[in-house]
Amino acid sequence: MKTDFSYSFCRNAAATEGGAAGVWKEADNKLYRKFSFKDFSAAFAFMTRVALAAEKMDHHPLWTNVYNSVEIWLSTHDAGDIVTDKDRQLAKKIDAMV
């Protein structure tokens, strides 16, 4: 089942560095979103903000970074690698950081 999650508080993402305005896609028991930034430094700064929030939640993403692009996959290992409210909460926090 595929579902798009749009968070209205990410309204400025398309106009700033975050690319597609708040769209997380759910597929294969994961939430996924790709972010694009102006350069590597902006992408790395974003990852640092996400890392601090994820650590506070004790909920860590699977992610990749290539130059100005960051891809994030969220699922909850303790629940059998499925999408849970914990993933949706982290996704909202991530959107607020863009």
PDB file of all heavy atoms in Angstrom, residues 15-35:
ATOM      1  N   ALA A  15      10.020  26.496  -1.570  1.00  0.00           N
ATOM      2  CA  ALA A  15      10.642  27.787  -1.843  1.00  0.00           C
ATOM      3  C   ALA A  15      12.035  27.899  -1.233  1.00  0.00           C
ATOM      4  O   ALA A  15      12.782  28.797  -1.559  1.00  0.00           O
ATOM      5  CB  ALA A  15       9.755  28.904  -1.297  1.00  0.00           C
ATOM      6  N   THR A  16      12.374  26.969  -0.330  1.00  0.00           N
ATOM      7  CA  THR A  16      13.683  27.018   0.298  1.00  0.00           C
ATOM      8  C   THR A  16      14.528  25.857  -0.169  1.00  0.00           C
ATOM      9  O   THR A  16      14.465  25.457  -1.315  1.00  0.00           O
ATOM     10  CB  THR A  16      13.536  27.045   1.831  1.00  0.00           C
ATOM     11  OG1 THR A  16      12.870  25.855   2.248  1.00  0.00           O
ATOM     12  CG2 THR A  16      12.751  28.260   2.295  1.00  0.00           C
ATOM     13  N   GLU A  17      15.255  25.259   0.735  1.00  0.00           N
ATOM     14  CA  GLU A  17      16.220  24.254   0.318  1.00  0.00           C
ATOM     15  C   GLU A  17      15.699  22.825   0.316  1.00  0.00           C
ATOM     16  O   GLU A  17      16.397  21.919  -0.057  1.00  0.00           O
ATOM     17  CB  GLU A  17      17.448  24.354   1.214  1.00  0.00           C
ATOM     18  CG  GLU A  17      17.139  24.177   2.670  1.00  0.00           C
ATOM     19  CD  GLU A  17      18.276  24.567   3.579  1.00  0.00           C
ATOM     20  OE1 GLU A  17      19.133  25.339   3.188  1.00  0.00           O
ATOM     21  OE2 GLU A  17      18.289  24.070   4.718  1.00  0.00           O
ATOM     22  N   GLY A  18      14.480  22.579   0.709  1.00  0.00           N
ATOM     23  CA  GLY A  18      14.035  21.221   0.947  1.00  0.00           C
ATOM     24  C   GLY A  18      13.357  20.489  -0.178  1.00  0.00           C
ATOM     25  O   GLY A  18      12.935  19.367   0.011  1.00  0.00           O
ATOM     26  N   GLY A  19      13.186  21.081  -1.327  1.00  0.00           N
ATOM     27  CA  GLY A  19      12.597  20.348  -2.432  1.00  0.00           C
ATOM     28  C   GLY A  19      11.099  20.156  -2.290  1.00  0.00           C
ATOM     29  O   GLY A  19      10.390  21.060  -1.897  1.00  0.00           O
ATOM     30  N   ALA A  20      10.597  18.963  -2.586  1.00  0.00           N
ATOM     31  CA  ALA A  20       9.160  18.674  -2.599  1.00  0.00           C
ATOM     32  C   ALA A  20       8.526  18.992  -1.251  1.00  0.00           C
ATOM     33  O   ALA A  20       8.944  18.489  -0.226  1.00  0.00           O
ATOM     34  CB  ALA A  20       8.940  17.201  -2.952  1.00  0.00           C
ATOM     35  N   ALA A  21       7.525  19.821  -1.265  1.00  0.00           N
ATOM     36  CA  ALA A  21       6.954  20.401  -0.044  1.00  0.00           C
ATOM     37  C   ALA A  21       6.296  19.365   0.858  1.00  0.00           C
ATOM     38  O   ALA A  21       5.103  19.127   0.772  1.00  0.00           O
ATOM     39  CB  ALA A  21       5.971  21.494  -0.412  1.00  0.00           C
ATOM     40  N   GLY A  22       7.057  18.780   1.742  1.00  0.00           N
ATOM     41  CA  GLY A  22       6.522  17.942   2.802  1.00  0.00           C
ATOM     42  C   GLY A  22       5.913  16.630   2.386  1.00  0.00           C
ATOM     43  O   GLY A  22       5.004  16.163   3.047  1.00  0.00           O
ATOM     44  N   VAL A  23       6.380  16.018   1.321  1.00  0.00           N
ATOM     45  CA  VAL A  23       5.768  14.777   0.862  1.00  0.00           C
ATOM     46  C   VAL A  23       6.614  13.579   1.275  1.00  0.00           C
ATOM     47  O   VAL A  23       7.736  13.411   0.818  1.00  0.00           O
ATOM     48  CB  VAL A  23       5.572  14.772  -0.673  1.00  0.00           C
ATOM     49  CG1 VAL A  23       4.986  13.452  -1.136  1.00  0.00           C
ATOM     50  CG2 VAL A  23       4.669  15.914  -1.085  1.00  0.00           C
ATOM     51  N   TRP A  24       6.062  12.797   2.171  1.00  0.00           N
ATOM     52  CA  TRP A  24       6.664  11.518   2.536  1.00  0.00           C
ATOM     53  C   TRP A  24       5.856  10.446   1.830  1.00  0.00           C
ATOM     54  O   TRP A  24       4.637  10.498   1.806  1.00  0.00           O
ATOM     55  CB  TRP A  24       6.591  11.313   4.048  1.00  0.00           C
ATOM     56  CG  TRP A  24       7.527  12.172   4.813  1.00  0.00           C
ATOM     57  CD1 TRP A  24       7.298  13.444   5.239  1.00  0.00           C
ATOM     58  CD2 TRP A  24       8.842  11.826   5.258  1.00  0.00           C
ATOM     59  NE1 TRP A  24       8.391  13.915   5.923  1.00  0.00           N
ATOM     60  CE2 TRP A  24       9.352  12.938   5.950  1.00  0.00           C
ATOM     61  CE3 TRP A  24       9.635  10.688   5.134  1.00  0.00           C
ATOM     62  CZ2 TRP A  24      10.627  12.948   6.516  1.00  0.00           C
ATOM     63  CZ3 TRP A  24      10.898  10.691   5.706  1.00  0.00           C
ATOM     64  CH2 TRP A  24      11.382  11.811   6.389  1.00  0.00           C
ATOM     65  N   LYS A  25       6.524   9.464   1.286  1.00  0.00           N
ATOM     66  CA  LYS A  25       5.835   8.351   0.637  1.00  0.00           C
ATOM     67  C   LYS A  25       6.008   7.117   1.511  1.00  0.00           C
ATOM     68  O   LYS A  25       7.099   6.851   2.000  1.00  0.00           O
ATOM     69  CB  LYS A  25       6.408   8.112  -0.749  1.00  0.00           C
ATOM     70  CG  LYS A  25       6.178   9.293  -1.670  1.00  0.00           C
ATOM     71  CD  LYS A  25       6.595   8.975  -3.082  1.00  0.00           C
ATOM     72  CE  LYS A  25       6.522  10.215  -3.922  1.00  0.00           C
ATOM     73  NZ  LYS A  25       5.344  10.389  -4.646  1.00  0.00           N
ATOM     74  N   GLU A  26       4.916   6.378   1.678  1.00  0.00           N
ATOM     75  CA  GLU A  26       4.979   5.137   2.432  1.00  0.00           C
ATOM     76  C   GLU A  26       4.911   3.974   1.464  1.00  0.00           C
ATOM     77  O   GLU A  26       3.954   3.849   0.698  1.00  0.00           O
ATOM     78  CB  GLU A  26       3.842   5.054   3.445  1.00  0.00           C
ATOM     79  CG  GLU A  26       3.941   3.811   4.309  1.00  0.00           C
ATOM     80  CD  GLU A  26       2.929   3.788   5.448  1.00  0.00           C
ATOM     81  OE1 GLU A  26       2.307   4.825   5.735  1.00  0.00           O
ATOM     82  OE2 GLU A  26       2.774   2.712   6.040  1.00  0.00           O
ATOM     83  N   ALA A  27       5.963   3.151   1.502  1.00  0.00           N
ATOM     84  CA  ALA A  27       6.023   1.962   0.654  1.00  0.00           C
ATOM     85  C   ALA A  27       6.971   0.965   1.302  1.00  0.00           C
ATOM     86  O   ALA A  27       7.933   1.355   1.968  1.00  0.00           O
ATOM     87  CB  ALA A  27       6.509   2.324  -0.749  1.00  0.00           C
ATOM     88  N   ASP A  28       6.700  -0.303   1.123  1.00  0.00           N
ATOM     89  CA  ASP A  28       7.567  -1.363   1.653  1.00  0.00           C
ATOM     90  C   ASP A  28       7.841  -1.193   3.143  1.00  0.00           C
ATOM     91  O   ASP A  28       8.967  -1.366   3.607  1.00  0.00           O
ATOM     92  CB  ASP A  28       8.884  -1.410   0.868  1.00  0.00           C
ATOM     93  CG  ASP A  28       8.679  -1.669  -0.606  1.00  0.00           C
ATOM     94  OD1 ASP A  28       7.797  -2.489  -0.940  1.00  0.00           O
ATOM     95  OD2 ASP A  28       9.383  -1.048  -1.422  1.00  0.00           O
ATOM     96  N   ASN A  29       6.815  -0.813   3.894  1.00  0.00           N
ATOM     97  CA  ASN A  29       6.914  -0.647   5.350  1.00  0.00           C
ATOM     98  C   ASN A  29       7.933   0.401   5.768  1.00  0.00           C
ATOM     99  O   ASN A  29       8.570   0.277   6.816  1.00  0.00           O
ATOM    100  CB  ASN A  29       7.221  -1.987   6.033  1.00  0.00           C
ATOM    101  CG  ASN A  29       6.065  -2.953   5.916  1.00  0.00           C
ATOM    102  OD1 ASN A  29       4.908  -2.556   6.070  1.00  0.00           O
ATOM    103  ND2 ASN A  29       6.359  -4.196   5.627  1.00  0.00           N
ATOM    104  N   LYS A  30       8.074   1.449   4.960  1.00  0.00           N
ATOM    105  CA  LYS A  30       8.974   2.546   5.293  1.00  0.00           C
ATOM    106  C   LYS A  30       8.362   3.861   4.836  1.00  0.00           C
ATOM    107  O   LYS A  30       7.652   3.909   3.840  1.00  0.00           O
ATOM    108  CB  LYS A  30      10.322   2.367   4.598  1.00  0.00           C
ATOM    109  CG  LYS A  30      11.141   1.212   5.125  1.00  0.00           C
ATOM    110  CD  LYS A  30      12.456   1.110   4.391  1.00  0.00           C
ATOM    111  CE  LYS A  30      13.336  -0.018   4.839  1.00  0.00           C
ATOM    112  NZ  LYS A  30      12.809  -1.082   5.597  1.00  0.00           N
ATOM    113  N   LEU A  31       8.651   4.928   5.580  1.00  0.00           N
ATOM    114  CA  LEU A  31       8.382   6.278   5.103  1.00  0.00           C
ATOM    115  C   LEU A  31       9.645   6.741   4.399  1.00  0.00           C
ATOM    116  O   LEU A  31      10.753   6.516   4.905  1.00  0.00           O
ATOM    117  CB  LEU A  31       8.089   7.235   6.266  1.00  0.00           C
ATOM    118  CG  LEU A  31       6.753   7.123   6.958  1.00  0.00           C
ATOM    119  CD1 LEU A  31       6.652   8.166   8.070  1.00  0.00           C
ATOM    120  CD2 LEU A  31       5.611   7.299   5.977  1.00  0.00           C
ATOM    121  N   TYR A  32       9.502   7.403   3.264  1.00  0.00           N
ATOM    122  CA  TYR A  32      10.657   7.841   2.475  1.00  0.00           C
ATOM    123  C   TYR A  32      10.458   9.273   2.016  1.00  0.00           C
ATOM    124  O   TYR A  32       9.360   9.669   1.617  1.00  0.00           O
ATOM    125  CB  TYR A  32      10.828   6.954   1.242  1.00  0.00           C
ATOM    126  CG  TYR A  32      11.807   7.516   0.242  1.00  0.00           C
ATOM    127  CD1 TYR A  32      13.178   7.351   0.414  1.00  0.00           C
ATOM    128  CD2 TYR A  32      11.355   8.247  -0.853  1.00  0.00           C
ATOM    129  CE1 TYR A  32      14.078   7.893  -0.493  1.00  0.00           C
ATOM    130  CE2 TYR A  32      12.250   8.787  -1.769  1.00  0.00           C
ATOM    131  CZ  TYR A  32      13.608   8.608  -1.583  1.00  0.00           C
ATOM    132  OH  TYR A  32      14.495   9.144  -2.473  1.00  0.00           O
ATOM    133  N   ARG A  33      11.546  10.028   2.052  1.00  0.00           N
ATOM    134  CA  ARG A  33      11.552  11.365   1.463  1.00  0.00           C
ATOM    135  C   ARG A  33      12.969  11.713   1.022  1.00  0.00           C
ATOM    136  O   ARG A  33      13.943  11.382   1.694  1.00  0.00           O
ATOM    137  CB  ARG A  33      11.057  12.411   2.450  1.00  0.00           C
ATOM    138  CG  ARG A  33      10.986  13.797   1.816  1.00  0.00           C
ATOM    139  CD  ARG A  33      10.260  14.798   2.649  1.00  0.00           C
ATOM    140  NE  ARG A  33      10.403  16.104   2.015  1.00  0.00           N
ATOM    141  CZ  ARG A  33      10.257  17.251   2.617  1.00  0.00           C
ATOM    142  NH1 ARG A  33       9.930  17.285   3.896  1.00  0.00           N
ATOM    143  NH2 ARG A  33      10.416  18.381   1.980  1.00  0.00           N
ATOM    144  N   LYS A  34      13.063  12.401  -0.110  1.00  0.00           N
ATOM    145  CA  LYS A  34      14.346  12.893  -0.604  1.00  0.00           C
ATOM    146  C   LYS A  34      14.358  14.410  -0.472  1.00  0.00           C
ATOM    147  O   LYS A  34      13.392  15.081  -0.823  1.00  0.00           O
ATOM    148  CB  LYS A  34      14.549  12.504  -2.070  1.00  0.00           C
ATOM    149  CG  LYS A  34      15.890  12.930  -2.619  1.00  0.00           C
ATOM    150  CD  LYS A  34      16.103  12.414  -4.030  1.00  0.00           C
ATOM    151  CE  LYS A  34      17.481  12.798  -4.529  1.00  0.00           C
ATOM    152  NZ  LYS A  34      17.743  12.233  -5.856  1.00  0.00           N
ATOM    153  N   PHE A  35      15.463  14.936   0.053  1.00  0.00           N
ATOM    154  CA  PHE A  35      15.649  16.371   0.233  1.00  0.00           C
ATOM    155  C   PHE A  35      16.807  16.828  -0.645  1.00  0.00           C
ATOM    156  O   PHE A  35      17.802  16.125  -0.768  1.00  0.00           O
ATOM    157  CB  PHE A  35      16.006  16.684   1.691  1.00  0.00           C
ATOM    158  CG  PHE A  35      14.938  16.302   2.678  1.00  0.00           C
ATOM    159  CD1 PHE A  35      14.857  15.010   3.168  1.00  0.00           C
ATOM    160  CD2 PHE A  35      14.028  17.242   3.126  1.00  0.00           C
ATOM    161  CE1 PHE A  35      13.881  14.658   4.088  1.00  0.00           C
ATOM    162  CE2 PHE A  35      13.040  16.906   4.044  1.00  0.00           C
ATOM    163  CZ  PHE A  35      12.971  15.601   4.526  1.00  0.00           C
TER     164      PHE A  35
END
